[in-house]
Amino acid sequence: MSYLLSIVMPAYNEQDCIEKVVYNWTNFLKNKFPNDNTTLIVINDGSKDNTKVLLDKLQQEVTHLTVVNQKNGGHGNAVVNGYRKALELGSEYVFQTDSDDQFVSDDFDKLWNKRSQSQFILGYREVRHDAGVRLFITKFLRGTISTVYGTFIMDSNIPFRLIKGTFLQKLMNQLPDPEPFAPNIFLSVMAKKSGQELFDIPITHKDRETGTVSIVKWNLWKVCIRSFKELLRFRLELNKKVKAIRA
């Protein structure tokens, strides 16, 4: 079986909202694509609360839902494994979002309607409701990408992106090894440098009402320095990888 669309959603300690978010996106799939094969792939990243219990229960009750439980590897690792699962399922399109209930499914069409114009489409958080530490990291990364790669991406790490499956496979083949802390940034850079129009479409971003933000457990400067080093190192490989993606 192949899928028209798979939605990739990492989840970590989201027991207070995971049911609401799963029902929201699976109902969206059923209403938007009633005659097509679609699925929501939730990657449970070793949650320590009741997220796994709730997801296992939902998988028995809800159609259009695929649950993958894994040991904790971080948000980036969960996203990558979700992409791999979507490709394994033969997904024509892959959409990625988060499980924290900060995005709305109504914005999906803003990206979907442009799928014939690009193989990699990004939203950006027009008004971002996040802690100051995250806002700082986003600005830092935006400036780093502009300086190191000579290209501007409004929100390179946003978990609201639509990717053509065949193009995603090419990008995944060129993802740096070892796996970077924030793989979505590298996918965005490679897509932009290979000639895709990302569009940077403004979308709604809501306040987080439940759960905890894992990034605050990291020291701010450690996150920035690690990402900066990874991006600098990747600069040396980028031209070769872009040629492989265009081939």
Side-chain angles (χ1 to χ4, degrees):
M1 177 188 296
S2 60
Y3 287 81
L4 170 66
L5 173 70
S6 289
I7 297 177
V8 170
M9 179 183 290
Y12 178 72
N13 289 354
E14 296 289 3
Q15 64 178 15
D16 294 329
C17 69
I18 194 64
E19 290 178 293
K20 174 185 175 183
V21 174
V22 165
Y23 275 113
N24 177 38
W25 283 101
T26 54
N27 286 336
F28 166 79
L29 288 174
K30 284 184 285 187
N31 294 329
K32 173 74 176 176
F33 306 100
N35 300 315
D36 294 302
N37 289 322
T38 59
T39 190
L40 169 65
I41 303 170
V42 181
I43 308 294
N44 171 39
D45 186 36
S47 295
K48 297 177 181 178
D49 61 2
N50 285 324
T51 299
K52 180 182 184 301
V53 173
L54 294 170
L55 285 172
D56 289 344
K57 178 175 177 289
L58 286 167
Q59 189 164 222
Q60 303 302 316
E61 301 172 353
V62 180
T63 58
H64 300 266
L65 176 62
T66 302
V67 175
V68 177
N69 293 301
Q70 67 172 37
K71 293 181 180 179
N72 181 254
H75 182 276
N77 176 256
V79 169
V80 165
N81 288 336
Y83 287 151
R84 287 174 178 152
K85 183 65 176 180
L87 293 172
E88 177 188 315
L89 294 174
S91 305
E92 184 177 354
Y93 289 95
V94 179
F95 178 76
Q96 193 257 314
T97 191
D98 273 353
S99 57
D100 53 14
D101 197 30
Q102 289 189 275
F103 297 97
V104 297
S105 55
D106 287 348
D107 282 336
F108 173 86
D109 279 347
K110 295 179 182 178
L111 279 65
W112 183 252
N113 291 340
K114 291 188 179 294
R115 68 190 183 281
S116 63
Q117 300 174 53
S118 177
Q119 298 183 84
F120 192 102
I121 303 168
L122 290 184
Y124 83 89
R125 289 161 276 205
E126 188 172 20
V127 178
R128 186 169 179 178
H129 296 275
D130 268 331
V133 60
R134 287 202 164 198
L135 298 177
F136 178 86
I137 290 173
T138 295
K139 290 181 180 179
F140 174 84
L141 291 173
R142 187 184 301 155
T144 298
I145 290 169
S146 179
T147 301
V148 175
Y149 298 105
T151 191
F152 182 83
I153 302 175
M154 193 70 182
D155 200 350
S156 63
N157 199 33
I158 188 173
F160 206 89
R161 54 187 59 213
L162 179 68
I163 314 169
K164 185 76 178 289
T166 51
F167 187 67
L168 177 59
Q169 183 64 71
K170 291 182 177 181
L171 293 174
M172 293 293 288
N173 290 344
Q174 303 304 321
L175 198 63
D177 185 28
E179 189 177 283
F181 172 73
N184 266 341
I185 296 174
F186 292 81
L187 299 181
S188 298
V189 169
M190 289 191 290
K192 182 73 175 287
K193 284 294 189 177
S194 67
Q196 296 300 311
E197 170 58 68
L198 307 190
F199 287 107
D200 294 323
I201 299 168
I203 57 156
T204 302
H205 189 245
K206 302 187 295 180
D207 284 317
R208 173 186 268 272
E209 297 180 354
T210 61
T212 58
V213 181
S214 60
I215 192 68
V216 299
K217 297 178 182 178
W218 285 66
N219 179 279
L220 168 62
W221 293 108
K222 286 183 179 179
V223 171
C224 291
I225 291 169
R226 176 177 174 178
S227 297
F228 184 71
K229 286 181 177 178
E230 288 177 343
L231 287 166
L232 277 179
R233 189 164 54 244
F234 186 63
R235 181 66 183 89
L236 302 175
E237 310 169 21
L238 182 61
N239 289 339
K240 180 177 67 175
K241 290 181 177 296
V242 167
K243 287 181 181 178
I245 291 167
R246 288 174 173 171

